[in-house]
Amino acid sequence: MLCTWMFLLIVLPALFNFSFSRADTDENTATYASRQRETEWETWDLPQKQVLDSFYTLYPIYRNSHAYDTSAPSTRRMMAYYELVSQRMQRFAAQTAASRAQDIQLIRQSYRYNPAIYTQSLLNSVAHTDIADYAYFQQQTALFRKHWKSFLYSYHFNDKKFGADDYRSLPVYHPSYDPDSRQQQIKGICYLLLLATGYY
């Protein structure tokens, strides 16, 4: 019995930690930073009209009589430039996100046979710091960022002045947590109790 618990609580978590450790984390970070610089330079070298066309393809509502104003006072080209860089980097980051999602799925599938990792995950879930809450947080902040940009773009690209009264209509971010976390916590606690009492 002691050997079984040692395997479940020490050996198995160590094996999982070893298999999911990313030895190339620093390399991936450096690669991402290098790719971002290259993307910024490549996008900067594009013709201004092409950059603006790319932006208006995403946001056709802002294509008006001043759509291609690239004079010194106009910041349309810069706004379009940063939007295009962001879109290109999102496509690049999606590859890493897909790989990370696969790792997370494998970890979740191991909960039944890995009580140490499951317990740690439940504690993180109670504190709202586990991978599910983080993924939900990323999703919610991405939606808010999109809402925030849409709000500001409506002023900027329509040459609308931002007045004192407009502060009342600024988008507000309301933090929230994964709505399924409570159900997962109850399920996990019941499983661990059954495991501790020898009924599982």
Side-chain angles (χ1 to χ4, degrees):
M1 186 65 178
L2 178 61
C3 293
T4 301
W5 280 108
M6 289 183 64
F7 177 78
L8 291 175
L9 299 179
I10 299 177
V11 178
L12 192 58
L15 291 175
F16 267 82
N17 182 64
F18 178 78
S19 62
F20 286 104
S21 293
R22 294 292 185 183
D24 58 343
T25 299
D26 293 337
E27 181 180 348
N28 287 339
T29 302
T31 301
Y32 184 88
S34 177
R35 180 59 181 269
Q36 183 171 3
R37 285 193 298 270
E38 292 176 2
T39 301
E40 291 172 351
W41 295 338
E42 291 173 359
T43 307
W44 183 261
D45 290 335
L46 292 175
Q48 295 186 16
K49 187 177 185 302
Q50 182 178 344
V51 174
L52 290 167
D53 281 338
S54 298
F55 178 84
Y56 294 129
T57 299
L58 294 172
Y59 302 96
I61 191 175
Y62 302 127
R63 190 192 295 267
N64 52 34
S65 58
H66 301 288
Y68 294 95
D69 181 8
T70 56
S71 60
S74 175
T75 58
R76 290 174 181 268
R77 190 252 182 174
M78 289 302 300
M79 298 285 282
Y81 162 76
Y82 285 117
E83 178 66 30
L84 185 55
V85 169
S86 176
Q87 292 292 331
R88 289 183 167 188
M89 288 307 300
Q90 284 179 13
R91 290 193 292 268
F92 177 75
Q95 301 173 2
T96 303
S99 177
R100 187 181 298 113
Q102 290 180 351
D103 288 348
I104 292 173
Q105 185 63 27
L106 289 174
I107 292 174
R108 286 177 171 172
Q109 292 174 355
S110 74
Y111 283 167
R112 182 175 180 180
Y113 310 101
N114 200 338
I117 299 298
Y118 201 177
T119 302
Q120 182 63 60
S121 176
L122 287 174
L123 293 174
N124 290 340
S125 179
V126 172
H128 297 297
T129 58
D130 71 330
I131 52 179
D133 274 305
Y134 182 66
Y136 187 78
F137 167 77
Q138 287 184 312
Q139 178 186 7
Q140 294 302 305
T141 52
L143 290 174
F144 176 75
R145 183 172 182 268
K146 184 177 181 180
H147 186 199
W148 179 265
K149 287 197 304 182
S150 178
F151 177 83
L152 294 181
Y153 283 175
S154 66
Y155 283 83
H156 183 81
F157 287 97
N158 292 320
D159 298 319
K160 182 180 178 182
K161 299 295 183 181
F162 193 84
D165 293 337
D166 294 318
Y167 280 101
R168 299 188 182 92
S169 58
L170 280 171
V172 178
Y173 176 71
H174 299 284
S176 58
Y177 303 108
D178 181 15
D180 297 328
S181 61
R182 181 57 58 88
Q183 181 180 357
Q184 295 299 324
Q185 291 167 15
I186 295 174
K187 179 181 177 181
I189 291 173
C190 291
Y191 164 74
L192 292 176
L193 287 175
L194 290 174
L195 184 65
T197 55
Y199 285 101
Y200 200 91

